[in-house]
Amino acid sequence: MDVEISLRVDGLEHRVLVDTRTTLLDALRERLGVTSAKKGCDHGQCGACTVLVDGRRLNSCLALAVAHDGAEIVTAAGLEATPADGLHPLQRAFIEHDAFQCGYCTPGQIVSAVGMLQEAAAGVPSVVSRDLDGEVVLDDEEIRERMSGNLCRCAAYVNIVTAIAEVAR
Amino acid sequence: MRAFRYERPSDRAGAIALVAGAPDAVFLGAGTNLVDLMKLEVAMPELLVDVHRLTSDQIEGLPDGGLRIGAAVRNTDLAADLTIRRRYPMLSQAILSGASGQLRNVATVGGNLLQRTRCVYFQDLTTPCNKRQPKSGCSALDGHQRDAAIFGASEQCVATHPSDMAVALAALDAVVRTEGPKGERAIPLTELHRLPGTQPERDSVLEHGELITAVDLPRLDFAANSHYRKVRDRASYAFALVSVAAALDVVDGTVRQARIALGGVAHKPWRAYEAERDLEGAPATEASFRAAAEAELEGARPLPGNAFKVALARNTMVRVLSNLTEGQR
């Protein structure tokens, strides 16, 4: 069964006909040619496919495209860049702190970090928060917990935490 | 993934009629578990009826001082709600213990309750599993048992319910509100999920076409002194080996009331009624907590591969209750 949907991806409007089985990730990569979000496990376990949908991070591999008609999607390629170097501050921090090796998980890591920082700024607690009702202080333990949905096969975690911590401050 | 039809009706009655009218139809919330199971072809629905805009995504106060949580409230929003954090902290902690930030951002309250077991055999089409395919056998009985139940299992199924949120809701005496072909009903959360018995393919008492519309939390003042602790093989993003949700009411060193539920140990969130009864009127000491935990665990029937859960559950209960007592001194 095919259904026509519209998606706004990194600021561009698209209308696309999708089979109901198509995930948001496959719609982006295979139908719209937007390859920033990556397919890792395809089961919501690795986070390589993370995108922002209507401002929130989610696993695009577990989202059916047909259920997201009209959604606003931002991938790592569409993050707001600073004019000086054309990079988002998190992208620059990942480069400066050597926060990747092969780079396959990196777009998902960066988008996830953008969403995570917004959640923390909105006061969303985590399970390691000392005070469930207090101000969120993004120390390394908090960052690790909040980023646990993004795996890195090269285990660049130490530098990923450092890069995110720099931007969080 | 098998082909399916997708419908997004404009009202609940229409959605319920669509599912009720087709034996292989299911409701779609966020789909974080369902879509995964469809990829594995563990689930092969012929029709998906999208209900994620058809129930409330708000948390409202009830006249008796309780709260009504709409079935479409996202897990992140429920955990972050200030009233929940202050009055029912174990519920926030339980939700935040589960899944990842990405999944919690979309997963709904209704969907969380109805997620399927993560028993490895349930998800592996190459092995027998009575829950996936009735009368095919249970591979866990002489297989991998680390995640299996120690309470209430049957010869046919030793799977556990994976939700953290449901464990806190069970301890809080939450009530699930539903709407279905036969009308509305209210089901105590502790009675929503079934023990496997001879029908392990049925996780809950819901009938085909019955939709969860909300979860009511009764007022429980001492739940402000509550905690959820989850023990697992990784520090984050893993299902529970054992978890404990507990609220404790201590006055002058004596336990007036306790609410305790365990996760990772049964086919449903396991309300520890035996331990609760044991604690009522007992001195709030580690010795009492240990005795109550042991009373509860007398009913445990572990398998060779998960016998460790008995000691783990006992120790986690003692630790959570002791910490809650310190919080009241």
Side-chain angles (χ1 to χ4, degrees):
Chain A
M1 177 184 175
D2 287 341
V3 180
E4 192 180 40
I5 60 166
S6 47
L7 297 172
R8 189 173 167 85
V9 182
D10 295 336
L12 294 176
E13 291 286 351
H14 300 270
R15 281 200 73 77
V16 58
L17 197 65
V18 293
D19 183 285
T20 51
R21 288 170 286 188
T22 312
T23 61
L24 208 47
L25 177 63
D26 285 339
L28 290 172
R29 295 183 58 85
E30 309 296 334
R31 305 303 308 281
L32 302 177
V34 177
T35 55
S36 169
K38 299 290 186 276
K39 184 179 282 193
C41 68
D42 209 23
H43 288 282
Q45 296 173 4
C46 78
C49 67
T50 305
V51 298
L52 301 178
V53 175
D54 299 327
R56 299 182 130 193
R57 57 175 171 158
L58 56 75
N59 298 118
S60 61
C61 74
L62 292 181
L64 291 174
V66 66
H68 287 82
D69 186 18
E72 163 99 41
I73 296 159
V74 175
T75 74
L79 292 171
E80 204 173 331
T82 39
D85 56 7
L87 295 172
H88 183 278
L90 273 163
Q91 292 169 330
R92 189 185 317 111
F94 268 61
I95 294 168
E96 281 175 5
H97 292 281
D98 200 14
F100 50 85
Q101 287 185 48
C102 82
Y104 195 77
C105 73
T106 311
Q109 297 276 2
I110 288 174
V111 173
S112 186
V114 169
M116 183 276 280
L117 292 177
Q118 286 169 0
E119 289 157 18
V124 176
S126 88
V127 75
V128 301
S129 298
R130 300 277 184 288
D131 178 3
L132 195 59
D133 192 16
E135 200 183 326
V136 176
V137 181
L138 283 181
D139 56 19
D140 286 2
E141 188 188 10
E142 282 274 6
I143 292 171
R144 287 178 191 282
E145 164 57 27
R146 289 166 188 265
M147 292 296 292
S148 69
N150 291 84
L151 305 189
C152 172
R153 172 66 178 75
C154 309
Y157 296 113
V158 173
N159 294 353
I160 291 171
V161 172
T162 306
I164 295 172
E166 184 191 82
V167 176
R169 277 193 293 272
Chain B
M1 200 188 298
R2 303 288 175 93
F4 59 88
R5 290 183 297 125
Y6 170 90
E7 298 281 355
R8 190 166 54 219
S10 55
D11 60 34
R12 283 213 295 256
I16 290 163
L18 273 171
V19 172
D24 291 325
V26 292
F27 294 118
L28 170 69
T32 52
N33 186 214
L34 178 62
V35 173
D36 191 20
L37 293 176
M38 287 166 64
K39 288 183 181 191
L40 297 168
E41 298 194 350
V42 170
M44 292 177 283
E46 166 272 325
L47 169 65
L48 254 56
V49 178
D50 191 340
V51 291
H52 85 271
R53 293 182 183 90
L54 299 184
T55 57
S56 168
D57 62 358
Q58 301 294 311
I59 301 165
E60 298 162 35
L62 291 170
D64 67 352
L67 294 176
R68 176 160 297 169
I69 304 160
V73 173
R74 308 292 174 165
N75 286 185
T76 297
D77 298 329
L78 181 55
D81 182 84
L82 272 178
T83 309
I84 298 286
R85 283 197 252 170
R86 287 171 187 163
R87 288 177 48 192
Y88 308 94
M90 67 168 154
L91 179 55
S92 284
Q93 288 158 346
I95 293 166
L96 295 169
S97 303
S100 65
Q102 288 97 315
L103 291 166
R104 292 191 297 268
N105 272 349
V106 292
T108 63
V109 167
N112 184 313
L113 290 176
L114 298 182
Q115 61 182 306
R116 310 297 310 270
T117 185
R118 290 335 192 265
C119 178
V120 290
Y121 302 108
F122 177 69
Q123 303 190 57
D124 179 357
L125 295 183
T126 66
T127 60
C129 167
N130 286 323
K131 183 180 278 296
R132 175 166 36 76
Q133 194 180 349
K135 307 201 192 311
S136 63
C138 173
S139 301
L141 284 179
D142 46 19
H144 178 81
Q145 298 172 338
R146 194 167 176 78
D147 305 317
I150 59 172
F151 286 112
S154 73
E155 291 280 297
Q156 302 201 10
C157 182
V158 296
T160 53
H161 196 268
S163 172
D164 293 294
M165 181 188 79
V167 179
L169 290 176
L172 289 166
D173 284 317
V175 175
V176 178
R177 306 193 71 86
T178 70
E179 223 173 287
K182 294 180 193 160
E184 299 181 19
R185 63 171 170 157
I187 307 166
L189 191 123
T190 50
E191 293 166 28
L192 174 71
H193 301 97
R194 301 174 62 256
L195 290 177
T198 55
Q199 279 189 295
E201 69 278 14
R202 287 192 64 201
D203 292 354
S204 79
V205 300
L206 296 187
E207 293 183 24
H208 185 64
E210 191 171 3
L211 177 69
I212 294 176
T213 58
V215 174
D216 288 353
L217 278 184
R219 175 174 170 176
L220 188 69
D221 292 339
F222 72 89
N225 184 46
S226 67
H227 191 71
Y228 185 80
R229 182 144 180 191
K230 180 176 183 178
V231 184
R232 44 186 160 177
D233 281 332
R234 299 192 299 219
S236 184
Y237 204 15
F239 292 95
L241 291 169
V242 163
S243 66
V244 173
L248 201 58
D249 183 13
V250 177
V251 177
D252 297 333
T254 300
V255 177
R256 268 211 309 214
Q257 292 182 81
R259 296 279 188 280
I260 308 167
L262 307 178
V265 295
H267 198 254
K268 60 189 285 184
W270 190 260
R271 180 73 176 266
Y273 290 114
E274 199 58 46
E276 290 179 10
R277 272 193 293 275
D278 213 68
L279 280 176
E280 214 170 292
T285 60
E286 195 167 312
S288 301
F289 301 146
R290 182 166 298 273
E294 282 170 353
E296 186 66 41
L297 287 157
E298 270 177 32
R301 298 288 176 269
L303 300 161
N306 69 2
F308 71 94
K309 283 191 176 182
V310 176
L312 190 59
R314 180 196 62 212
N315 294 349
T316 310
M317 283 168 79
V318 172
R319 182 49 43 218
V320 168
L321 293 167
S322 298
N323 288 351
L324 286 173
T325 307
E326 276 161 29
Q328 285 210 334
R329 270 182 197 138

